[in-house]
């Protein structure tokens, strides 16, 4: 065929309105740092997760229903899913073929899915969730069990340890959770707690609804024996804290701090983007914290004022305004680090802020820390991202002056809200 005949043969079906033939969705979302992570060909609208957890055996039985829209005609589609045993996979209620290769789960529906069609994939599964190893983080990520307690900290690629998903921040979705645990345990997850049902045997089902889009890495679940402390911030955002049994009084000061610092952050960053807030505090042998949406999770050693400010700042920067590709993570960590310097200023005035900036700047220079926006995958959570990211914001603050700078932060969080 000559060029124009070839072009015509390609264009003719389009001109005649013939739909493109179905093809498999891509196996990756196109993230340069994580080529296999996420998938193409569809856009998830919501995850409805139902889990029954046996803490003694460290086993779960679960069902995940994914509601999505096809962005092209699909003959098959991929999800990320770890090592749990699959009992069944259906697409729109009809049994579907599936195969797994590493973390990629390929689902082939009985009939292709049309472009633009809304469809449901339901996966039933069971087993003992295991954390995932990532080149991007030195500790195991995802579902972690300590004795009869479990916590989920997935950033950046651990969500597949507990549910099948399009595990990439470019595809945020709504979530519901219904988690059944034995009488003595409590389950906590992101979002609003909308109900608790009790069975005859005393087992309880805790139901949560996430009202705002959420990235898969921010989905969390905590199962343990907790003191549950409810309250609200000084400007009326409901707060729920899940604390190790018997520690509610010990942490009263940190809960009070959260209640006053969240409105303080909102004055600088714009309205708090979610309908609830709080924390899970875990008495466990891992250091650190994660900004799990509406419910940051802290190791007890990390449940300190500076870390609280960091994880709360992420609710704006990271959780509401989310990276489309992981290499842009300074847009989350740089802002959260910068918020910690602002908190120094809140306590000790501009001098304390300047001291913090100067100290971190000197350290970054001495160590030859690289630029913030092009981290290698093994340095996704390094000083380049955190400190040099925050230094970018400091420089903008100095150049623009406080009025324009904070106006810019509020405009950024408003324009990109839930995006
Ligand atoms: N985003 C976290 C923070 O700066 C660090 C990453 C934690 N990830 C994890 N899987 N624990 O607070
Ligand atoms: Zn952070």
């Amino acid at each position: 065929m000559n060029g124009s005949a070839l072009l015509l043969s390609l264009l003719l079906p389009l001109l005649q309105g013939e739909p493109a033939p179905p093809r498999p969705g891509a196996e990756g979302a196109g993230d340069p740092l994580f080529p296999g992570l996420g998938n193409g060909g569809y856009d998830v609208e919501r995850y409805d997760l139902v889990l029954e957890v046996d803490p003694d055996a460290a086993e779960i039985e679960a069902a995940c229903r994914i509601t999505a829209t096809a962005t092209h005609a699909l003959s098959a589609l991929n999800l990320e899913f770890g090592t749990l045993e699959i009992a069944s996979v259906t697409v729109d209620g009809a049994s579907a073929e599936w195969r797994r290769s590493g973390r990629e789960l390929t689902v082939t529906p009985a009939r292709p899915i049309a472009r633009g069609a809304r469809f449901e994939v339901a996966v039933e599964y069971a087993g003992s969730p295991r954390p995932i190893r990532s080149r991007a983080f030195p500790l195991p990520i995802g579902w972690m069990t300590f004795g009869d307690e479990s916590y989920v900290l997935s950033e950046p690629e651990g969500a597949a340890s507990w549910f099948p998903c399009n595990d990439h921040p470019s595809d945020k979705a709504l979530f519901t959770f219904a988690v059944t645990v034995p009488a003595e345990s409590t389950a906590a997850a992101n979002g609003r707690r909308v109900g608790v049902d009790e069975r005859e045997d005393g087992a309880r089902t805790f139901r949560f609804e996430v009202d705002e889009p959420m990235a898969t890495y921010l989905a969390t679940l905590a199962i343990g024996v907790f003191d549950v402390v409810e309250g609200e911030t000084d400007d009326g955002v409901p707060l729920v804290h899940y604390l190790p049994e018997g520690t509610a009084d010990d942490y009263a000061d940190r809960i009070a701090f959260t209640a006053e610092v969240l409105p303080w952050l909102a004055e600088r960053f714009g309205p708090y983007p979610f309908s609830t807030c709080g924390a899970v505090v875990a008495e466990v042998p891992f250091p650190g914290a994660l900004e799990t949406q509406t419910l940051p999770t802290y190791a007890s050693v990390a449940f300190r004022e500076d870390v609280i400010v960091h994880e709360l700042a992420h609710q704006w920067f990271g959780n509401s305004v989310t990276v489309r590709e992981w290499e842009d993570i300074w847009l989350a960590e740089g802002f959260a680090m910068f918020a910690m310097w602002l908190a120094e200023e809140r306590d000790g005035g501009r001098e304390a802020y300047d001291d913090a900036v100067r100290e971190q700047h000197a350290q970054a220079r001495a160590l030859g820390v690289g630029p913030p926006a092009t981290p290698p995958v093994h340095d996704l959570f390094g000083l380049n991202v955190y400190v040099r990211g925050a230094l970018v914001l400091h420089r903008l603050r100095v150049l623009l002056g406080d009025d324009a700078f904070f106006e810019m932060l509020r405009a950024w969080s408003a324009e990109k809200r839930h995006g």
Side-chain angles (χ1 to χ4, degrees), residues 300-330:
S300 52
V301 291
F303 194 45
R304 314 184 315 220
E305 291 189 358
D306 56 344
V307 185
I308 291 172
V309 166
H310 182 105
E311 307 311 336
L312 293 180
H314 272 310
Q315 305 305 312
W316 283 262
F317 305 112
N319 299 8
S320 169
V321 183
T322 305
V323 296
R324 180 156 46 211
E325 289 179 352
W326 277 113
E327 71 177 8
D328 293 326
I329 191 173
W330 80 273

Short mmCIF file of all heavy atoms in Angstrom, two decimals, residues 300-330:
data_model
loop_
_atom_site.label_atom_id
_atom_site.label_comp_id
_atom_site.label_asym_id
_atom_site.label_seq_id
_atom_site.Cartn_x
_atom_site.Cartn_y
_atom_site.Cartn_z
N SER A 300 4.87 4.54 68.19
CA SER A 300 4.72 5.36 69.40
C SER A 300 5.91 6.31 69.59
O SER A 300 5.73 7.44 70.03
CB SER A 300 4.50 4.47 70.63
OG SER A 300 5.51 3.50 70.70
N VAL A 301 7.13 5.86 69.22
CA VAL A 301 8.30 6.75 69.38
C VAL A 301 8.22 7.97 68.45
O VAL A 301 8.89 8.98 68.70
CB VAL A 301 9.64 6.03 69.09
CG1 VAL A 301 9.95 5.01 70.17
CG2 VAL A 301 9.65 5.39 67.69
N ALA A 302 7.41 7.88 67.39
CA ALA A 302 7.31 8.99 66.44
C ALA A 302 6.09 9.87 66.69
O ALA A 302 5.88 10.85 65.98
CB ALA A 302 7.25 8.44 65.01
N PHE A 303 5.28 9.52 67.70
CA PHE A 303 4.09 10.34 67.95
C PHE A 303 4.50 11.55 68.79
O PHE A 303 4.23 11.66 69.97
CB PHE A 303 3.01 9.50 68.65
CG PHE A 303 1.64 10.16 68.64
CD1 PHE A 303 1.14 10.73 67.49
CD2 PHE A 303 0.86 10.17 69.79
CE1 PHE A 303 -0.12 11.32 67.48
CE2 PHE A 303 -0.40 10.76 69.79
CZ PHE A 303 -0.89 11.34 68.63
N ARG A 304 5.22 12.48 68.08
CA ARG A 304 5.76 13.70 68.68
C ARG A 304 5.23 14.88 67.91
O ARG A 304 4.84 14.75 66.74
CB ARG A 304 7.29 13.72 68.56
CG ARG A 304 8.01 12.45 68.91
CD ARG A 304 9.52 12.66 68.82
NE ARG A 304 9.90 13.39 67.61
CZ ARG A 304 10.96 13.11 66.87
NH1 ARG A 304 11.75 12.10 67.22
NH2 ARG A 304 11.25 13.81 65.80
N GLU A 305 5.32 16.08 68.52
CA GLU A 305 4.72 17.26 67.88
C GLU A 305 5.30 17.52 66.49
O GLU A 305 4.57 17.82 65.55
CB GLU A 305 4.89 18.49 68.78
CG GLU A 305 4.02 18.39 70.03
CD GLU A 305 3.98 19.68 70.84
OE1 GLU A 305 4.66 20.65 70.46
OE2 GLU A 305 3.28 19.69 71.86
N ASP A 306 6.63 17.40 66.31
CA ASP A 306 7.20 17.73 65.00
C ASP A 306 6.73 16.75 63.93
O ASP A 306 6.41 17.15 62.80
CB ASP A 306 8.74 17.80 65.06
CG ASP A 306 9.39 16.53 65.59
OD1 ASP A 306 8.68 15.69 66.20
OD2 ASP A 306 10.60 16.36 65.39
N VAL A 307 6.65 15.47 64.28
CA VAL A 307 6.19 14.48 63.29
C VAL A 307 4.69 14.65 63.03
O VAL A 307 4.22 14.48 61.89
CB VAL A 307 6.53 13.05 63.75
CG1 VAL A 307 6.16 12.04 62.67
CG2 VAL A 307 8.02 12.92 64.10
N ILE A 308 3.94 15.00 64.06
CA ILE A 308 2.50 15.24 63.87
C ILE A 308 2.30 16.36 62.85
O ILE A 308 1.49 16.24 61.91
CB ILE A 308 1.81 15.57 65.22
CG1 ILE A 308 1.79 14.33 66.12
CG2 ILE A 308 0.40 16.11 64.99
CD1 ILE A 308 1.31 14.58 67.55
N VAL A 309 3.05 17.45 62.99
CA VAL A 309 2.95 18.56 62.02
C VAL A 309 3.26 18.05 60.61
O VAL A 309 2.56 18.37 59.65
CB VAL A 309 3.90 19.71 62.41
CG1 VAL A 309 4.07 20.69 61.25
CG2 VAL A 309 3.38 20.43 63.65
N HIS A 310 4.31 17.23 60.50
CA HIS A 310 4.71 16.70 59.20
C HIS A 310 3.58 15.87 58.56
O HIS A 310 3.20 16.10 57.41
CB HIS A 310 5.97 15.84 59.39
CG HIS A 310 6.53 15.26 58.12
ND1 HIS A 310 7.65 15.74 57.51
CD2 HIS A 310 6.10 14.22 57.36
CE1 HIS A 310 7.90 15.03 56.42
NE2 HIS A 310 6.97 14.09 56.31
N GLU A 311 3.01 14.95 59.32
CA GLU A 311 1.97 14.07 58.75
C GLU A 311 0.68 14.83 58.49
O GLU A 311 -0.04 14.53 57.54
CB GLU A 311 1.72 12.87 59.67
CG GLU A 311 2.95 12.05 60.07
CD GLU A 311 3.85 11.64 58.90
OE1 GLU A 311 3.36 11.58 57.75
OE2 GLU A 311 5.06 11.43 59.13
N LEU A 312 0.38 15.83 59.32
CA LEU A 312 -0.83 16.63 59.08
C LEU A 312 -0.65 17.50 57.84
O LEU A 312 -1.58 17.66 57.05
CB LEU A 312 -1.18 17.48 60.30
CG LEU A 312 -1.63 16.68 61.54
CD1 LEU A 312 -1.96 17.64 62.69
CD2 LEU A 312 -2.83 15.79 61.24
N ALA A 313 0.55 18.06 57.64
CA ALA A 313 0.80 18.87 56.44
C ALA A 313 0.61 18.03 55.18
O ALA A 313 0.13 18.52 54.14
CB ALA A 313 2.21 19.46 56.48
N HIS A 314 0.96 16.74 55.26
CA HIS A 314 0.75 15.84 54.12
C HIS A 314 -0.72 15.71 53.73
O HIS A 314 -1.03 15.32 52.60
CB HIS A 314 1.26 14.44 54.45
CG HIS A 314 2.70 14.19 54.15
ND1 HIS A 314 3.27 14.51 52.93
CD2 HIS A 314 3.68 13.62 54.89
CE1 HIS A 314 4.55 14.13 52.95
NE2 HIS A 314 4.83 13.61 54.13
N GLN A 315 -1.63 15.97 54.65
CA GLN A 315 -3.04 15.84 54.28
C GLN A 315 -3.36 16.80 53.14
O GLN A 315 -4.16 16.49 52.26
CB GLN A 315 -3.96 16.07 55.50
CG GLN A 315 -3.66 15.17 56.71
CD GLN A 315 -3.67 13.68 56.36
OE1 GLN A 315 -4.59 13.18 55.73
NE2 GLN A 315 -2.64 12.96 56.79
N TRP A 316 -2.72 17.98 53.14
CA TRP A 316 -2.86 18.91 52.02
C TRP A 316 -1.95 18.50 50.87
O TRP A 316 -2.38 18.43 49.73
CB TRP A 316 -2.46 20.33 52.46
CG TRP A 316 -3.44 21.10 53.26
CD1 TRP A 316 -4.32 22.03 52.79
CD2 TRP A 316 -3.64 21.05 54.69
NE1 TRP A 316 -5.05 22.56 53.83
CE2 TRP A 316 -4.66 21.97 55.00
CE3 TRP A 316 -3.06 20.30 55.73
CZ2 TRP A 316 -5.11 22.18 56.30
CZ3 TRP A 316 -3.51 20.50 57.03
CH2 TRP A 316 -4.52 21.43 57.31
N PHE A 317 -0.67 18.26 51.21
CA PHE A 317 0.37 18.09 50.19
C PHE A 317 0.82 16.63 50.18
O PHE A 317 1.58 16.21 51.05
CB PHE A 317 1.54 19.04 50.47
CG PHE A 317 1.09 20.48 50.57
CD1 PHE A 317 1.14 21.16 51.79
CD2 PHE A 317 0.55 21.13 49.47
CE1 PHE A 317 0.70 22.47 51.88
CE2 PHE A 317 0.11 22.45 49.56
CZ PHE A 317 0.18 23.12 50.77
N GLY A 318 0.32 15.88 49.25
CA GLY A 318 0.56 14.43 49.20
C GLY A 318 -0.78 13.72 49.09
O GLY A 318 -1.00 12.92 48.19
N ASN A 319 -1.70 14.07 50.02
CA ASN A 319 -2.97 13.33 50.07
C ASN A 319 -4.07 13.99 49.25
O ASN A 319 -4.74 13.32 48.47
CB ASN A 319 -3.42 13.17 51.52
CG ASN A 319 -2.41 12.39 52.35
OD1 ASN A 319 -1.33 12.10 51.89
ND2 ASN A 319 -2.78 12.05 53.57
N SER A 320 -4.29 15.30 49.43
CA SER A 320 -5.25 16.00 48.59
C SER A 320 -4.60 16.34 47.25
O SER A 320 -5.13 16.01 46.18
CB SER A 320 -5.76 17.26 49.29
OG SER A 320 -6.49 18.06 48.39
N VAL A 321 -3.45 17.00 47.29
CA VAL A 321 -2.65 17.27 46.07
C VAL A 321 -1.64 16.13 45.97
O VAL A 321 -0.71 16.06 46.77
CB VAL A 321 -1.91 18.62 46.16
CG1 VAL A 321 -1.17 18.89 44.85
CG2 VAL A 321 -2.88 19.74 46.49
N THR A 322 -1.82 15.24 45.00
CA THR A 322 -1.06 13.99 44.95
C THR A 322 -0.17 13.95 43.73
O THR A 322 -0.55 14.47 42.67
CB THR A 322 -2.06 12.80 44.93
OG1 THR A 322 -2.93 12.93 46.05
CG2 THR A 322 -1.35 11.47 45.00
N VAL A 323 0.99 13.33 43.87
CA VAL A 323 1.90 13.21 42.72
C VAL A 323 1.27 12.35 41.64
O VAL A 323 0.58 11.38 41.92
CB VAL A 323 3.27 12.61 43.11
CG1 VAL A 323 4.00 13.53 44.08
CG2 VAL A 323 3.14 11.21 43.68
N ARG A 324 1.54 12.73 40.37
CA ARG A 324 1.10 11.86 39.27
C ARG A 324 2.19 10.84 38.96
O ARG A 324 1.91 9.74 38.54
CB ARG A 324 0.78 12.68 38.02
CG ARG A 324 0.33 11.83 36.86
CD ARG A 324 -0.51 12.58 35.85
NE ARG A 324 0.09 13.86 35.53
CZ ARG A 324 -0.61 14.94 35.20
NH1 ARG A 324 -1.92 14.89 35.16
NH2 ARG A 324 -0.01 16.06 34.92
N GLU A 325 3.44 11.21 39.21
CA GLU A 325 4.56 10.27 39.05
C GLU A 325 5.40 10.37 40.30
O GLU A 325 5.57 11.45 40.88
CB GLU A 325 5.40 10.64 37.82
CG GLU A 325 4.67 10.34 36.53
CD GLU A 325 5.46 10.73 35.29
OE1 GLU A 325 6.51 11.38 35.45
OE2 GLU A 325 5.03 10.38 34.19
N TRP A 326 5.98 9.24 40.71
CA TRP A 326 6.67 9.20 42.00
C TRP A 326 7.86 10.14 42.06
O TRP A 326 8.25 10.59 43.13
CB TRP A 326 7.08 7.77 42.34
CG TRP A 326 5.95 7.00 42.96
CD1 TRP A 326 5.29 5.94 42.41
CD2 TRP A 326 5.34 7.25 44.22
NE1 TRP A 326 4.30 5.50 43.26
CE2 TRP A 326 4.31 6.29 44.38
CE3 TRP A 326 5.54 8.18 45.24
CZ2 TRP A 326 3.50 6.24 45.52
CZ3 TRP A 326 4.73 8.14 46.38
CH2 TRP A 326 3.73 7.18 46.50
N GLU A 327 8.48 10.44 40.91
CA GLU A 327 9.67 11.29 41.00
C GLU A 327 9.32 12.72 41.44
O GLU A 327 10.21 13.48 41.78
CB GLU A 327 10.46 11.28 39.70
CG GLU A 327 9.81 12.00 38.56
CD GLU A 327 10.72 12.01 37.32
OE1 GLU A 327 11.76 11.33 37.32
OE2 GLU A 327 10.36 12.70 36.37
N ASP A 328 8.04 13.07 41.43
CA ASP A 328 7.63 14.40 41.89
C ASP A 328 7.37 14.45 43.39
O ASP A 328 6.76 15.41 43.89
CB ASP A 328 6.37 14.83 41.14
CG ASP A 328 6.63 15.07 39.67
OD1 ASP A 328 7.74 15.54 39.34
OD2 ASP A 328 5.75 14.79 38.84
N ILE A 329 7.85 13.45 44.11
CA ILE A 329 7.46 13.31 45.52
C ILE A 329 7.92 14.48 46.41
O ILE A 329 7.40 14.68 47.51
CB ILE A 329 7.93 11.95 46.07
CG1 ILE A 329 7.31 11.70 47.44
CG2 ILE A 329 9.43 11.85 46.05
CD1 ILE A 329 7.57 10.35 48.00
N TRP A 330 8.86 15.29 45.91
CA TRP A 330 9.24 16.47 46.73
C TRP A 330 8.03 17.39 46.93
O TRP A 330 7.97 18.13 47.90
CB TRP A 330 10.41 17.23 46.09
CG TRP A 330 10.03 18.15 44.96
CD1 TRP A 330 9.92 17.83 43.65
CD2 TRP A 330 9.72 19.55 45.06
NE1 TRP A 330 9.55 18.94 42.92
CE2 TRP A 330 9.42 20.01 43.76
CE3 TRP A 330 9.66 20.47 46.14
CZ2 TRP A 330 9.06 21.33 43.50
CZ3 TRP A 330 9.29 21.78 45.87
CH2 TRP A 330 9.01 22.20 44.56
#
